mmCIF file of all heavy atoms in Angstrom:
data_model
loop_
_atom_site.group_PDB
_atom_site.id
_atom_site.type_symbol
_atom_site.label_atom_id
_atom_site.label_comp_id
_atom_site.label_asym_id
_atom_site.label_seq_id
_atom_site.Cartn_x
_atom_site.Cartn_y
_atom_site.Cartn_z
ATOM 1 N N THR N 16 -6.490 61.996 -107.750
ATOM 2 C CA THR N 16 -5.417 62.499 -106.900
ATOM 3 C C THR N 16 -5.074 63.943 -107.267
ATOM 4 O O THR N 16 -4.855 64.768 -106.393
ATOM 5 C CB THR N 16 -4.155 61.616 -107.043
ATOM 6 O OG1 THR N 16 -4.524 60.262 -106.831
ATOM 7 C CG2 THR N 16 -3.099 62.020 -106.050
ATOM 8 N N VAL N 17 -5.066 64.259 -108.530
ATOM 9 C CA VAL N 17 -4.746 65.615 -108.971
ATOM 10 C C VAL N 17 -5.778 66.601 -108.441
ATOM 11 O O VAL N 17 -5.441 67.675 -107.981
ATOM 12 C CB VAL N 17 -4.662 65.679 -110.515
ATOM 13 C CG1 VAL N 17 -4.518 67.106 -110.979
ATOM 14 C CG2 VAL N 17 -3.520 64.824 -111.019
ATOM 15 N N GLN N 18 -7.049 66.226 -108.473
ATOM 16 C CA GLN N 18 -8.093 67.109 -107.949
ATOM 17 C C GLN N 18 -7.899 67.344 -106.459
ATOM 18 O O GLN N 18 -8.072 68.453 -105.974
ATOM 19 C CB GLN N 18 -9.474 66.519 -108.225
ATOM 20 C CG GLN N 18 -9.882 66.599 -109.683
ATOM 21 C CD GLN N 18 -11.246 65.973 -109.912
ATOM 22 O OE1 GLN N 18 -11.691 65.128 -109.140
ATOM 23 N NE2 GLN N 18 -11.893 66.377 -110.992
ATOM 24 N N ASN N 19 -7.551 66.314 -105.718
ATOM 25 C CA ASN N 19 -7.327 66.475 -104.282
ATOM 26 C C ASN N 19 -6.151 67.408 -103.997
ATOM 27 O O ASN N 19 -6.193 68.215 -103.084
ATOM 28 C CB ASN N 19 -7.096 65.121 -103.600
ATOM 29 C CG ASN N 19 -8.380 64.325 -103.457
ATOM 30 O OD1 ASN N 19 -9.467 64.898 -103.520
ATOM 31 N ND2 ASN N 19 -8.251 63.022 -103.283
ATOM 32 N N ILE N 20 -5.103 67.301 -104.785
ATOM 33 C CA ILE N 20 -3.948 68.181 -104.611
ATOM 34 C C ILE N 20 -4.350 69.624 -104.902
ATOM 35 O O ILE N 20 -3.987 70.542 -104.177
ATOM 36 C CB ILE N 20 -2.762 67.731 -105.509
ATOM 37 C CG1 ILE N 20 -2.211 66.409 -104.984
ATOM 38 C CG2 ILE N 20 -1.671 68.792 -105.538
ATOM 39 C CD1 ILE N 20 -1.172 65.763 -105.901
ATOM 40 N N ASP N 21 -5.129 69.813 -105.975
ATOM 41 C CA ASP N 21 -5.595 71.155 -106.306
ATOM 42 C C ASP N 21 -6.462 71.724 -105.192
ATOM 43 O O ASP N 21 -6.330 72.888 -104.834
ATOM 44 C CB ASP N 21 -6.380 71.150 -107.619
ATOM 45 C CG ASP N 21 -5.473 70.969 -108.836
ATOM 46 O OD1 ASP N 21 -4.239 71.127 -108.674
ATOM 47 O OD2 ASP N 21 -6.000 70.663 -109.915
ATOM 48 N N LYS N 22 -7.353 70.900 -104.652
ATOM 49 C CA LYS N 22 -8.216 71.359 -103.556
ATOM 50 C C LYS N 22 -7.377 71.729 -102.341
ATOM 51 O O LYS N 22 -7.614 72.732 -101.695
ATOM 52 C CB LYS N 22 -9.236 70.284 -103.170
ATOM 53 C CG LYS N 22 -10.461 70.242 -104.008
ATOM 54 C CD LYS N 22 -11.456 69.258 -103.426
ATOM 55 C CE LYS N 22 -12.785 69.326 -104.115
ATOM 56 N NZ LYS N 22 -13.751 68.400 -103.517
ATOM 57 N N THR N 23 -6.393 70.860 -102.034
ATOM 58 C CA THR N 23 -5.532 71.102 -100.881
ATOM 59 C C THR N 23 -4.758 72.399 -101.076
ATOM 60 O O THR N 23 -4.674 73.216 -100.166
ATOM 61 C CB THR N 23 -4.561 69.921 -100.665
ATOM 62 O OG1 THR N 23 -5.327 68.740 -100.497
ATOM 63 C CG2 THR N 23 -3.695 70.143 -99.451
ATOM 64 N N ALA N 24 -4.199 72.595 -102.253
ATOM 65 C CA ALA N 24 -3.447 73.820 -102.531
ATOM 66 C C ALA N 24 -4.365 75.032 -102.414
ATOM 67 O O ALA N 24 -3.995 76.050 -101.853
ATOM 68 C CB ALA N 24 -2.816 73.749 -103.906
ATOM 69 N N SER N 25 -5.555 74.899 -102.918
ATOM 70 C CA SER N 25 -6.503 76.000 -102.866
ATOM 71 C C SER N 25 -6.862 76.326 -101.414
ATOM 72 O O SER N 25 -6.903 77.491 -101.025
ATOM 73 C CB SER N 25 -7.755 75.641 -103.658
ATOM 74 O OG SER N 25 -8.695 76.679 -103.570
ATOM 75 N N ARG N 26 -7.111 75.294 -100.618
ATOM 76 C CA ARG N 26 -7.409 75.521 -99.190
ATOM 77 C C ARG N 26 -6.224 76.165 -98.493
ATOM 78 O O ARG N 26 -6.381 77.079 -97.695
ATOM 79 C CB ARG N 26 -7.765 74.210 -98.498
ATOM 80 C CG ARG N 26 -9.196 73.791 -98.679
ATOM 81 C CD ARG N 26 -9.485 72.615 -97.809
ATOM 82 N NE ARG N 26 -8.647 71.504 -98.292
ATOM 83 C CZ ARG N 26 -8.957 70.229 -98.212
ATOM 84 N NH1 ARG N 26 -10.070 69.864 -97.617
ATOM 85 N NH2 ARG N 26 -8.177 69.292 -98.696
ATOM 86 N N LYS N 27 -5.041 75.662 -98.824
ATOM 87 C CA LYS N 27 -3.831 76.204 -98.214
ATOM 88 C C LYS N 27 -3.657 77.673 -98.600
ATOM 89 O O LYS N 27 -3.352 78.521 -97.750
ATOM 90 C CB LYS N 27 -2.612 75.392 -98.667
ATOM 91 C CG LYS N 27 -1.314 75.852 -98.043
ATOM 92 C CD LYS N 27 -0.164 74.970 -98.477
ATOM 93 C CE LYS N 27 1.148 75.452 -97.903
ATOM 94 N NZ LYS N 27 2.271 74.630 -98.360
ATOM 95 N N GLN N 28 -3.883 77.993 -99.851
ATOM 96 C CA GLN N 28 -3.765 79.380 -100.306
ATOM 97 C C GLN N 28 -4.788 80.281 -99.624
ATOM 98 O O GLN N 28 -4.469 81.398 -99.218
ATOM 99 C CB GLN N 28 -3.917 79.460 -101.819
ATOM 100 C CG GLN N 28 -2.726 78.897 -102.572
ATOM 101 C CD GLN N 28 -2.980 78.797 -104.061
ATOM 102 O OE1 GLN N 28 -4.133 78.780 -104.507
ATOM 103 N NE2 GLN N 28 -1.902 78.703 -104.838
ATOM 104 N N ARG N 29 -6.006 79.780 -99.489
ATOM 105 C CA ARG N 29 -7.047 80.573 -98.814
ATOM 106 C C ARG N 29 -6.671 80.825 -97.357
ATOM 107 O O ARG N 29 -6.829 81.929 -96.847
ATOM 108 C CB ARG N 29 -8.406 79.870 -98.917
ATOM 109 C CG ARG N 29 -9.042 79.969 -100.297
ATOM 110 C CD ARG N 29 -10.515 79.556 -100.282
ATOM 111 N NE ARG N 29 -10.770 78.275 -99.639
ATOM 112 C CZ ARG N 29 -10.849 77.101 -100.264
ATOM 113 N NH1 ARG N 29 -10.685 77.036 -101.570
ATOM 114 N NH2 ARG N 29 -11.102 75.994 -99.600
ATOM 115 N N LEU N 30 -6.157 79.781 -96.711
ATOM 116 C CA LEU N 30 -5.756 79.917 -95.319
ATOM 117 C C LEU N 30 -4.595 80.897 -95.186
ATOM 118 O O LEU N 30 -4.599 81.762 -94.303
ATOM 119 C CB LEU N 30 -5.365 78.560 -94.736
ATOM 120 C CG LEU N 30 -4.886 78.567 -93.283
ATOM 121 C CD1 LEU N 30 -5.965 79.138 -92.356
ATOM 122 C CD2 LEU N 30 -4.498 77.167 -92.842
ATOM 123 N N GLN N 31 -3.631 80.798 -96.087
ATOM 124 C CA GLN N 31 -2.491 81.719 -96.040
ATOM 125 C C GLN N 31 -2.940 83.161 -96.270
ATOM 126 O O GLN N 31 -2.472 84.079 -95.592
ATOM 127 C CB GLN N 31 -1.440 81.328 -97.075
ATOM 128 C CG GLN N 31 -0.662 80.094 -96.688
ATOM 129 C CD GLN N 31 0.277 79.628 -97.791
ATOM 130 O OE1 GLN N 31 0.019 79.837 -98.983
ATOM 131 N NE2 GLN N 31 1.368 78.977 -97.389
ATOM 132 N N GLU N 32 -3.856 83.363 -97.193
ATOM 133 C CA GLU N 32 -4.365 84.711 -97.463
ATOM 134 C C GLU N 32 -5.140 85.243 -96.256
ATOM 135 O O GLU N 32 -5.001 86.404 -95.881
ATOM 136 C CB GLU N 32 -5.252 84.702 -98.714
ATOM 137 C CG GLU N 32 -5.875 86.043 -99.041
ATOM 138 C CD GLU N 32 -4.877 87.153 -99.305
ATOM 139 O OE1 GLU N 32 -3.699 86.869 -99.611
ATOM 140 O OE2 GLU N 32 -5.273 88.325 -99.190
ATOM 141 N N LYS N 33 -5.934 84.391 -95.643
ATOM 142 C CA LYS N 33 -6.686 84.805 -94.459
ATOM 143 C C LYS N 33 -5.717 85.189 -93.338
ATOM 144 O O LYS N 33 -5.896 86.222 -92.682
ATOM 145 C CB LYS N 33 -7.610 83.676 -93.987
ATOM 146 C CG LYS N 33 -8.450 84.038 -92.793
ATOM 147 C CD LYS N 33 -9.381 82.911 -92.401
ATOM 148 C CE LYS N 33 -10.211 83.291 -91.184
ATOM 149 N NZ LYS N 33 -11.132 82.228 -90.799
ATOM 150 N N GLN N 34 -4.689 84.382 -93.127
ATOM 151 C CA GLN N 34 -3.705 84.683 -92.087
ATOM 152 C C GLN N 34 -2.952 85.969 -92.405
ATOM 153 O O GLN N 34 -2.686 86.774 -91.508
ATOM 154 C CB GLN N 34 -2.714 83.523 -91.933
ATOM 155 C CG GLN N 34 -3.328 82.309 -91.278
ATOM 156 C CD GLN N 34 -2.381 81.119 -91.260
ATOM 157 O OE1 GLN N 34 -1.521 80.972 -92.123
ATOM 158 N NE2 GLN N 34 -2.558 80.257 -90.272
ATOM 159 N N ARG N 35 -2.627 86.188 -93.666
ATOM 160 C CA ARG N 35 -1.939 87.412 -94.073
ATOM 161 C C ARG N 35 -2.796 88.637 -93.763
ATOM 162 O O ARG N 35 -2.315 89.626 -93.225
ATOM 163 C CB ARG N 35 -1.593 87.364 -95.570
ATOM 164 C CG ARG N 35 -0.756 88.560 -96.035
ATOM 165 C CD ARG N 35 -0.764 88.728 -97.541
ATOM 166 N NE ARG N 35 -2.069 89.025 -98.083
ATOM 167 C CZ ARG N 35 -2.697 90.203 -97.994
ATOM 168 N NH1 ARG N 35 -2.156 91.205 -97.356
ATOM 169 N NH2 ARG N 35 -3.888 90.381 -98.545
ATOM 170 N N ARG N 36 -4.089 88.544 -94.086
ATOM 171 C CA ARG N 36 -5.001 89.662 -93.802
ATOM 172 C C ARG N 36 -5.138 89.884 -92.305
ATOM 173 O O ARG N 36 -5.174 91.022 -91.841
ATOM 174 C CB ARG N 36 -6.374 89.399 -94.442
ATOM 175 C CG ARG N 36 -6.360 89.540 -95.947
ATOM 176 C CD ARG N 36 -7.769 89.572 -96.558
ATOM 177 N NE ARG N 36 -8.724 88.686 -95.935
ATOM 178 C CZ ARG N 36 -9.129 87.511 -96.406
ATOM 179 N NH1 ARG N 36 -8.662 87.078 -97.554
ATOM 180 N NH2 ARG N 36 -10.020 86.779 -95.771
ATOM 181 N N GLN N 37 -5.232 88.792 -91.540
ATOM 182 C CA GLN N 37 -5.346 88.923 -90.081
ATOM 183 C C GLN N 37 -4.109 89.599 -89.503
ATOM 184 O O GLN N 37 -4.218 90.489 -88.658
ATOM 185 C CB GLN N 37 -5.555 87.553 -89.435
ATOM 186 C CG GLN N 37 -6.928 86.970 -89.689
ATOM 187 C CD GLN N 37 -7.051 85.530 -89.197
ATOM 188 O OE1 GLN N 37 -6.058 84.822 -89.047
ATOM 189 N NE2 GLN N 37 -8.276 85.099 -88.964
ATOM 190 N N LEU N 38 -2.930 89.183 -89.941
ATOM 191 C CA LEU N 38 -1.695 89.795 -89.450
ATOM 192 C C LEU N 38 -1.620 91.269 -89.843
ATOM 193 O O LEU N 38 -1.164 92.104 -89.059
ATOM 194 C CB LEU N 38 -0.475 89.037 -89.974
ATOM 195 C CG LEU N 38 -0.257 87.656 -89.369
ATOM 196 C CD1 LEU N 38 0.860 86.920 -90.106
ATOM 197 C CD2 LEU N 38 0.068 87.754 -87.888
#
Side-chain angles (χ1 to χ4, degrees):
T16 308
V17 172
Q18 287 179 336
N19 286 340
I20 291 172
D21 287 345
K22 277 187 172 182
T23 302
S25 178
R26 277 188 296 210
K27 182 177 178 182
Q28 288 171 339
R29 285 193 310 266
L30 178 59
Q31 286 174 331
E32 177 60 20
K33 182 178 179 179
Q34 288 174 331
R35 185 197 64 75
R36 288 192 322 258
Q37 288 172 337
L38 289 172

